[in-house]
């Protein structure tokens, strides 16, 4: 390590990986805007929040948690221009209020980190 490496780290920090708790809130935030699938959730995070990353492992464990809680529903859908069907997710109607609360936690977290 050199002294310049320290300055470089703070000028261009490495991405922050979401933990499962943040992933759950992020997923609800996105799904309240409309249905989505796993790869799209990861790509959207990297596009909208370039300093954050979401691993496949954390994403799918968060999705499994939400499905087990019956917070989201998954179903297969053939998307135009895509080869194989995608597993799409949407918020369960009975979880709308709780989903809003979780999405707000994500929004608050991001706004605290970027301001």
């Amino acid at each position: 390590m050199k002294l310049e490496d320290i300055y470089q780290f703070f000028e261009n920090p490495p991405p922050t990986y979401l933990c499962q708790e943040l992933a759950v809130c992020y997923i609800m935030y996105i799904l309240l805007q409309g249905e989505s699938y796993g790869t799209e959730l990861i790509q959207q995070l990297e596009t909208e929040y370039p300093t954050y990353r979401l691993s496949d492992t954390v994403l799918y464990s968060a999705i499994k948690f939400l499905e087990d809680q019956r917070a989201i529903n998954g179903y297969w859908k053939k998307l135009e221009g895509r080869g194989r069907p995608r597993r799409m997710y949407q918020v369960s109607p009975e979880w709308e209020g709780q989903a809003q609360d979780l999405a707000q936690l994500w929004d608050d977290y991001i706004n605290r980190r970027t301001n």
Side-chain angles (χ1 to χ4, degrees):
M1 180 169 74
K2 298 177 283 209
L3 190 55
E4 299 89 47
D5 296 337
I6 297 169
Y7 291 109
Q8 182 63 32
F9 175 87
F10 285 98
E11 286 175 23
N12 192 10
T16 301
Y17 280 84
L18 300 187
C19 61
Q20 189 170 350
E21 293 83 358
L22 281 173
V24 165
C25 296
Y26 166 72
I27 291 166
M28 294 307 247
Y29 177 83
I30 296 300
L31 294 184
L32 282 169
Q33 299 169 40
E35 66 183 15
S36 190
Y37 58 94
T39 306
E40 186 176 53
L41 289 165
I42 290 173
Q43 290 169 345
Q44 197 167 346
L45 178 73
E46 292 178 8
T47 301
E48 292 184 26
Y49 309 99
T51 59
Y52 292 92
R53 296 290 182 275
L54 180 55
S55 73
D56 288 350
T57 304
V58 171
L59 171 69
Y60 289 107
S61 65
I63 286 173
K64 179 168 178 8
F65 168 79
L66 289 167
E67 284 187 306
D68 289 349
Q69 298 295 312
R70 302 187 196 293
I72 63 174
N73 300 314
Y75 59 95
W76 293 100
K77 180 178 180 181
K78 175 83 168 107
L79 299 177
E80 200 169 312
R82 301 283 182 179
R84 59 185 175 82
R86 303 286 181 186
R87 182 91 172 142
M88 303 298 291
Y89 301 98
Q90 62 186 13
V91 175
S92 301
E94 60 274 5
W95 262 75
E96 200 74 30
Q98 188 74 37
Q100 293 283 353
D101 292 344
L102 294 170
Q104 188 61 53
L105 291 173
W106 167 257
D107 198 45
D108 293 346
Y109 175 82
I110 284 296
N111 287 328
R112 270 196 314 272
R113 304 283 293 210
T114 57
N115 291 336

